[in-house]
Amino acid sequence: MNLQKFSPWNWFKSEASDAPSSASPVEQPRRGELSPLLGMHQELDRWMDNAMRQFGMPSLEGRFGDMQTLLRPQLDIAEREQEYVITVEVPGVDEKDVKLTLDDQRLIIEGEKRQESTTEEDRYQRVERSYGSFRRMLDLPADAKAEDIKASFANGVLTVTVPRSGEVRSSRREIPIE
């Protein structure tokens, strides 16, 4: 069930516009003909996407177009009477490798998951963990008090508390059904 449709605020509108376009400039075929090479490329993309979904891996279709989405940390946003609480899972990431910035009304969470140093003796049989940089961008609602945001980090979970002002929140009211 997609709970995002119940939320009146789109926290992710800047994140979608911040993502680089996955479409690469391709010369348009002439006279309405589809280039055989382009058609083969699209079919291979479709086949790979289906194969990845069957093995429980995230689909790359409609995403940022690179493997960065595999590293994108999952988050929860809870709305309370006096505040919003955003929890971000960043397992294996040190606190010093996470950066939180505020750009106007956008909260930007950036970080890097670094690979542990290995010795020349290590011969990996399988590597399933992902390493690299990640970035999440959240648009704060109108009732967020950006100047009072607080963050804490414990056990691989970043918790960001965004206090709410009373002005905008008070405009919400329940309508009785008669």
Side-chain angles (χ1 to χ4, degrees):
M1 174 183 232
N2 184 2
L3 297 177
Q4 197 170 6
K5 65 183 178 184
F6 294 116
S7 176
W9 181 256
N10 184 359
W11 289 81
F12 304 102
K13 57 185 172 187
S14 288
E15 189 170 75
S17 66
D18 182 52
S21 173
S22 62
S24 59
V26 176
E27 185 177 310
Q28 293 295 322
R30 294 186 186 117
R31 286 177 246 145
E33 297 175 4
L34 183 62
S35 162
L37 187 58
L38 179 60
M40 187 172 66
H41 184 270
Q42 290 172 338
E43 185 61 32
L44 183 60
D45 284 348
R46 241 187 326 271
W47 182 81
M48 287 298 294
D49 194 51
N50 287 336
M52 289 178 70
R53 269 192 246 135
Q54 287 176 355
F55 290 104
M57 295 179 70
S59 169
L60 297 177
E61 185 177 274
R63 296 291 196 133
F64 296 151
D66 61 5
M67 297 306 280
Q68 185 180 20
T69 57
L70 294 175
L71 200 61
R72 203 170 100 167
Q74 301 297 304
L75 57 85
D76 293 333
I77 302 172
E79 178 181 354
R80 297 179 180 165
E81 191 66 29
Q82 301 297 321
E83 63 194 4
Y84 297 102
V85 178
I86 303 163
T87 52
V88 185
E89 287 184 344
V90 284
V93 177
D94 290 331
E95 182 178 349
K96 65 178 177 53
D97 293 327
V98 177
K99 185 170 103 177
L100 204 59
T101 55
L102 190 64
D103 182 13
D104 291 325
Q105 282 296 102
R106 278 188 222 109
L107 182 66
I108 302 168
I109 304 164
E110 297 174 295
E112 184 174 358
K113 184 174 180 183
R114 302 177 193 274
Q115 186 171 13
E116 296 98 28
S117 60
T118 59
T119 65
E120 291 181 19
E121 298 167 1
D122 292 339
R123 289 181 293 161
Y124 286 99
Q125 298 293 313
R126 183 177 180 104
V127 176
E128 292 186 346
R129 297 183 294 165
S130 300
Y131 302 96
S133 299
F134 59 87
R135 176 179 168 133
R136 298 298 307 260
M137 187 180 302
L138 303 174
D139 289 281
L140 298 177
D143 68 340
K145 292 170 67 176
E147 64 277 358
D148 294 332
I149 294 176
K150 302 221 182 310
S152 63
F153 189 90
N155 299 325
V157 177
L158 173 69
T159 303
V160 182
T161 305
V162 182
R164 299 174 72 180
S165 63
E167 294 83 45
V168 178
R169 191 179 67 242
S170 64
S171 66
R172 181 190 283 182
R173 63 181 179 90
E174 188 173 325
I175 300 171
I177 301 172
E178 295 179 17

